[in-house]
């Protein structure tokens, strides 16, 4: 009977990675503004004020320097957005290696 190959934690994280879809932008958190708002430098060259929606607020802790996935608002799409996903450092490194991150400087 063949032995099952065990996946490492890094392989599991990469398997669960969220690729940006149409209308979504990658961004790096620049500064916490208070409450649930953050200033995010986006990969399309814009700086947006983004909020953490209620379903993520208590589950995900976002800090300065984190790579996040942004959903720009329909109104004020160049200035505002919602954070819909936070990437781990392993996932951020994978996205950078695969060319998804174009202009951002991510650690």
């Amino acid at each position: 009977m063949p032995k099952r190959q065990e996946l490492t934690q890094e392989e599991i994280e990469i398997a669960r990675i969220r690729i940006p879809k149409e209308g979504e932008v990658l961004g790096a958190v620049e500064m916490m503004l208070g409450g649930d708002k953050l200033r995010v430098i986006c990969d399309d060259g814009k700086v947006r004020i983004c909020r953490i929606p209620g379903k993520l607020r208590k589950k995900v802790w976002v800090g300065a320097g984190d790579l996040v996935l942004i959903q720009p608002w329909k109104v004020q799409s160049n200035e505002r957005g919602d954070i819909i996903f936070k990437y781990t450092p392993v996932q951020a490194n994978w996205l950078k290696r695969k060319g998804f991150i174009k202009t951002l400087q991510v650690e």
Side-chain angles (χ1 to χ4, degrees):
M1 186 168 186
K3 190 174 183 181
R4 275 186 51 201
Q5 181 183 1
E6 294 296 321
L7 294 175
T8 65
Q9 185 65 30
E10 186 171 321
E11 290 170 332
I12 292 170
E13 283 185 30
I14 290 172
R16 291 183 177 180
I17 202 160
R18 175 96 155 57
I19 304 294
K21 295 181 180 134
E22 186 69 33
E24 298 174 347
V25 182
L26 289 170
V29 177
E30 180 184 28
M31 176 190 291
M32 307 292 289
L33 298 177
D36 60 348
K37 294 194 176 42
L38 312 144
R39 183 182 303 149
V40 179
I41 301 170
C42 296
D43 207 25
D44 60 2
K46 297 178 174 64
V47 177
R48 291 183 172 92
I49 305 296
C50 296
R51 68 184 178 110
I52 305 170
K55 67 180 182 178
L56 287 179
R57 194 171 299 140
K58 297 270 193 292
K59 296 178 187 173
V60 178
W61 294 101
V62 182
D66 287 341
L67 182 69
V68 291
L69 189 60
I70 304 296
Q71 175 75 56
W73 289 359
K74 292 191 183 354
V75 180
Q76 295 182 321
S77 63
N78 293 336
E79 302 159 15
R80 302 285 178 143
D82 287 335
I83 292 177
I84 55 176
F85 191 80
K86 176 191 165 194
Y87 292 100
T88 65
V90 171
Q91 291 171 334
N93 191 9
W94 185 88
L95 284 169
K96 189 163 186 75
R97 280 196 328 256
K98 296 296 181 183
F100 287 101
I101 301 172
K102 297 166 189 69
T103 60
L104 294 175
Q105 297 298 321
V106 180
E107 299 83 39

